[in-house]
Amino acid sequence: MKFLDQAKIYVRSGDGGDGVTAFRREKYIEFGGPDGGNGGRGGDIIFEAVPNLNTLIDFRYTQHFRARKGGNGAGSDRTGAAASPVIIKVPIGTQIMDDDRVTLLADLDEAGKRITLCRGGDGGYGNAHFKSSTNRAPRRSDKGWPGEERWVWLRLKLIADVGLVGLPNAGKSTFLSVVSAAKPKIADYPFTTLHPQLGVVRLSMTEEFVVADIPGLIEGAHEGTGLGDRFLGHVERCAVLLHLIDGAAGSVVDAWRTIRHELAAYDGGLAEKPEIIALNKMDAMTPREASSRRAALEKASGAPVVLISAATHQGVPELLRMLQNQVTENRKNADKNPA
């Protein structure tokens, strides 16, 4: 299935049904009076987050959603039928943006969460509504109110606990394939990952977390260089960032600073998130190189650095335990301070 995380669609709720002008005419009832019914309500446009979707690919082929008009009223005080709502199912983590792509209309970040984006128009009044002691035979009936319409952007932000960031070829896809059942593309050239990947890491029967791997960042990504920073939105909801650095490349401090600069330039709160730094590919370094590069990176970052090798699994179990502890702590804090 092709991954699609942005889509533009048109939605329109249904118009209200029309009220009618009618009079009761029966053989043995001399003064029947007005009995025109009201129109029915138009259908709503409702968005719902469902757990069995992970892409917006369906909206590439269907971009227009229109609800039906409410039924017209009828004689004998019969109200028109209300139209059924149109329920648009989207993946968990979908944001609904206005056409300007800046104004956030809704954030469907929980399974089953719903939002009525466009309300259907109210039905018009029939002439029975206007009868009174001074107006016994009104001939007025109203048209139904029009529905609402708008163009909106859907933007998917994956729900994950850990976000993988780093330069291309830092070993992020290899790490994901080792710690989970995900099967990302792995090759010895940059940008093998072209769209985000998710993997579930299970440490025990009761401990698990979700890892999101996004395409590698390069210097100038916030200005559109390479694949740009559009995929950084998929790690905005993570509890912790795992920053993988290619230890065999040599310039580990420059690599760390490049990614930190791009995270700060993105301005999505990523620079303030907890970060665990891992120096990858220790199997491709001598012990002396690994020690010196680790020390240089700890001095520059002011944080401890974990030495791992995703290819040989060295240091990976200890790193996963650190990640699980951070995720567990974040979940406890979220339970204590619900939004």
Side-chain angles (χ1 to χ4, degrees):
M1 180 185 293
K2 185 175 177 60
F3 183 86
L4 189 70
D5 64 347
Q6 291 187 17
K8 186 179 183 181
I9 63 173
Y10 170 83
V11 292
R12 192 185 196 289
S13 57
D15 297 337
D18 301 334
V20 298
T21 300
F23 293 89
R24 184 178 183 185
R25 293 182 175 89
E26 296 182 34
K27 185 174 182 179
Y28 298 106
I29 299 179
E30 184 176 0
F31 301 105
D35 66 351
N38 301 332
R41 183 181 178 83
D44 297 333
I45 298 292
I46 299 175
F47 286 84
E48 180 183 6
V50 295
N52 58 341
L53 294 176
N54 55 15
T55 176
L56 299 175
I57 188 65
D58 293 339
F59 300 101
R60 169 163 290 184
Y61 309 106
T62 305
Q63 290 102 16
H64 295 79
F65 297 86
R66 295 182 176 88
R68 296 177 65 88
K69 176 185 175 182
N72 295 334
S76 301
D77 276 329
R78 287 176 291 179
T79 301
S84 300
V86 172
I87 301 177
I88 303 174
K89 296 182 178 181
V90 296
I92 301 172
T94 299
Q95 292 184 331
I96 305 175
M97 316 289 290
D98 202 359
D99 195 21
D100 59 7
R101 302 184 72 171
V102 175
T103 306
L104 178 64
L105 302 177
D107 190 359
L108 305 178
D109 56 354
E110 296 178 3
K113 191 172 183 179
R114 282 189 169 199
I115 180 70
T116 301
L117 190 67
C118 296
R119 298 186 64 84
D122 292 327
Y125 290 128
N127 67 331
H129 175 81
F130 299 102
K131 66 182 178 181
S132 67
S133 60
T134 58
N135 187 9
R136 298 189 176 187
R139 284 169 170 77
R140 172 185 170 183
S141 60
D142 294 344
K143 293 284 188 181
W145 289 87
E148 301 173 347
E149 62 178 342
R150 65 196 313 164
W151 284 92
V152 295
W153 280 90
L154 304 181
R155 184 184 182 191
L156 175 60
K157 292 184 178 180
L158 297 177
I159 303 295
D161 300 303
V162 177
L164 279 176
V165 297
L167 291 173
N169 265 11
K172 300 187 299 298
S173 296
T174 302
F175 179 82
L176 184 66
S177 67
V178 166
V179 301
S180 72
K183 303 297 181 185
K185 182 178 180 180
I186 300 173
D188 58 353
Y189 55 84
F191 296 112
T192 52
T193 301
L194 298 178
H195 56 78
Q197 300 274 353
L198 284 180
V200 179
V201 179
R202 289 187 175 89
L203 296 187
S204 67
M205 294 294 292
T206 59
E207 293 180 311
E208 68 176 29
F209 57 88
V210 179
V211 180
D213 174 24
I214 64 171
L217 300 172
I218 61 175
E219 186 174 1
H222 67 281
E223 299 174 345
T225 305
L227 293 179
D229 61 1
R230 60 167 290 191
F231 294 115
L232 279 177
H234 295 289
V235 295
E236 282 185 21
R237 305 179 192 270
C238 296
V240 58
L241 297 179
L242 175 57
H243 189 163
L244 282 185
I245 298 174
D246 183 0
S251 54
V252 294
V253 174
D254 291 342
W256 175 80
R257 286 176 175 162
T258 297
I259 298 300
R260 293 302 302 177
H261 174 70
E262 296 303 323
L263 295 179
Y266 179 74
D267 193 27
L270 293 179
E272 289 75 35
K273 283 189 175 293
E275 178 190 45
I276 294 179
I277 305 173
L279 196 60
N280 194 18
K281 303 183 182 179
M282 62 180 295
D283 56 307
M285 296 181 285
T286 64
R288 184 175 181 179
E289 288 175 337
S291 177
S292 62
R293 291 170 186 176
R294 178 182 186 178
L297 194 54
E298 287 181 338
K299 182 179 179 180
S301 64
V305 176
V306 182
L307 277 173
I308 69 166
S309 172
T312 63
H313 299 198
Q314 289 177 276
V316 172
E318 293 79 5
L319 176 59
L320 295 181
R321 173 48 57 188
M322 294 176 61
L323 293 172
Q324 180 66 66
N325 292 342
Q326 185 70 48
V327 170
T328 302
E329 181 181 353
N330 184 76
R331 290 172 179 171
K332 290 180 179 178
N333 294 335
D335 292 338
K336 292 179 181 178
N337 305 302

